[in-house]
Amino acid sequence: MEETKKTAILIPCYNESKTIENVIRDYQAVMPHAKIYVYDNNSSDGTDEIARKAGATVRYEYRQGKGNVVRSMFREIDADCYIMTDGDDTYPAEFALELEKQIYSKQADMAIGDRLSSTYFTENKRPFHNIGNVLVRKLINILFKASVKDIMTGSRGFTKEFVKSFPVTSKGFEIETEMTIFALDNNFKIVEVPIEYRDRPEGSESKLNTYSDGYKVLKTIGTLFRDTKPYAFFSIISLFLLVVGGAFFVPILLNYLETGTVARYPTLIVITSLGIIAIISYFCGVILEVLKKQHRHNFERNLNLLNELWQKNDDKS
């Protein structure tokens, strides 16, 4: 790593007083060149004071939710490499060095700490979390034709380009899913690094609600699928409506061919309406796909301009 390069360790925290000091000490030992930022999200157990005494720079985000914290971190911190981890001491610090290496060697725009390929399923004692991770992974890989192994890990490395171009819209734990889909949709380079995972120490409780947060993640996937792949999304709706309409239309058609009369006019009217809606839905998808491609072109153009501006600033300094 070049001496002029700046690495920032970002740790979003909510009531992690039992573990935050150990997390900070581990990163200080493994990555002494990096600056550690702890963003306190309305903790009531003195997490911020413990982090400050341990040597971290402490900042605050008063809007509750991990997505809100990530938004503030990405907006406020300026660095060349960003390493994000959790304050619950579940991700060993030594693996962050490999994430950092992937970023500085330009192998990745987002380096993912892959828990699911190592110790996650044996260490994590919450079976519904395990099932949810597998379900989300399969769903995203099918919808976005990808092969990402760990969608929801909290251990990640980012380039400056990724951080400053990522529009955070999630408020809670669905933020990791949003990051992954954003990277896939915008053709950012993703590298997965197998890392060890250890369950929370005794007395440390997870803030993740399996059912409500799981619902939010699935809702986020659906929303982002609609926004990033509108042609596929609305084509599926059109096909569904046509299949339903066809199932009701066939008996009416057979009856007409047999008797020469239409027996169920109300049903035929509903079927016709479904057909019209299906056609409208399909062409909405076509129009939105064109707009999406235009947005993609603008995004790439603006990203290139940002890179040129940063390069000029680096040359001056």
Side-chain angles (χ1 to χ4, degrees), residues 256-271:
Y256 174 77
L257 294 176
E258 191 175 312
T259 64
T261 60
V262 178
R264 292 178 287 177
Y265 276 104
T267 303
L268 187 60
I269 292 172
V270 172
I271 292 170

Side-chain angles (χ1 to χ4, degrees), residues 169-183:
T169 58
S170 299
K171 297 180 180 180
F173 282 102
E174 62 272 27
I175 182 65
E176 283 94 357
T177 304
E178 185 179 9
M179 287 176 180
T180 305
I181 293 176
F182 175 77

Side-chain angles (χ1 to χ4, degrees), residues 61-317:
E61 171 52 58
Y62 298 105
R63 293 168 294 181
Q64 197 65 43
K66 189 174 182 179
N68 289 324
V69 178
V70 171
R71 180 186 296 108
S72 293
M73 290 191 302
F74 282 8
R75 285 177 179 175
E76 296 173 7
I77 305 301
D78 184 55
D80 300 293
C81 174
Y82 299 78
I83 303 295
M84 189 173 75
T85 190
D86 291 340
D88 55 10
D89 203 21
T90 55
Y91 302 110
E94 55 266 25
F95 291 96
L97 287 172
E98 182 59 30
L99 299 179
E100 182 187 49
K101 178 181 176 182
Q102 294 295 328
I103 298 301
Y104 281 129
S105 64
K106 301 187 182 300
Q107 296 300 308
D109 295 297
M110 179 172 69
I112 296 176
D114 172 20
R115 312 157 297 166
L116 303 190
S117 297
S118 59
T119 57
Y120 182 80
F121 293 110
T122 55
E123 286 287 323
N124 187 21
K125 305 302 188 294
R126 293 155 292 182
F128 286 111
H129 286 202
N130 296 341
I131 295 170
N133 270 286
V134 173
L135 175 63
V136 170
R137 177 178 67 184
K138 289 184 177 180
L139 189 57
I140 288 182
N141 284 334
I142 290 172
L143 293 177
F144 293 88
K145 298 179 181 178
S147 58
V148 181
K149 297 183 180 69
D150 194 348
I151 304 293
M152 302 174 68
T153 178
S155 175
R156 296 171 187 256
F158 308 99
T159 60
K160 185 175 184 177
E161 289 80 5
F162 184 95
V163 165
K164 297 305 181 183
S165 64
F166 175 47
V168 181
T169 58
S170 299
K171 297 180 180 180
F173 282 102
E174 62 272 27
I175 182 65
E176 283 94 357
T177 304
E178 185 179 9
M179 287 176 180
T180 305
I181 293 176
F182 175 77
L184 290 171
D185 182 54
N186 290 286
N187 201 31
F188 280 107
K189 292 178 289 186
I190 300 176
V191 171
E192 292 191 273
V193 178
I195 64 171
E196 290 182 9
Y197 175 89
R198 55 196 178 207
D199 205 12
R200 282 173 170 267
E202 188 175 350
S204 175
E205 297 181 1
S206 173
K207 316 306 183 299
L208 181 64
N209 185 292
T210 303
Y211 301 104
S212 63
D213 287 310
Y215 168 74
K216 291 176 184 177
V217 169
L218 293 175
K219 182 180 178 182
T220 298
I221 293 173
T223 301
L224 292 174
F225 179 58
R226 179 199 65 195
D227 295 345
T228 58
K229 295 185 178 295
Y231 179 76
F233 180 84
F234 286 99
S235 293
I236 290 172
I237 293 177
S238 297
L239 181 61
F240 175 76
L241 293 175
L242 289 174
V243 170
V244 171
F248 285 96
F249 178 72
V250 169
I252 296 176
L253 178 62
L254 293 176
N255 181 73
Y256 174 77
L257 294 176
E258 191 175 312
T259 64
T261 60
V262 178
R264 292 178 287 177
Y265 276 104
T267 303
L268 187 60
I269 292 172
V270 172
I271 292 170
T272 303
S273 300
L274 287 177
I276 294 172
I277 295 172
I279 294 171
I280 293 173
S281 177
Y282 175 79
F283 282 104
C284 281
V286 172
I287 294 170
L288 291 172
E289 186 70 19
V290 173
L291 294 176
K292 176 64 175 60
K293 287 184 177 180
Q294 184 61 49
H295 170 76
R296 176 67 182 278
H297 293 157
N298 291 336
F299 175 83
E300 290 291 338
R301 194 176 297 115
N302 291 333
L303 190 60
N304 289 335
L305 290 174
L306 276 175
N307 283 327
E308 289 177 9
L309 180 61
W310 289 330
Q311 187 62 48
K312 288 180 180 177
N313 289 335
D314 288 342
D315 292 341
K316 288 180 181 178
S317 59

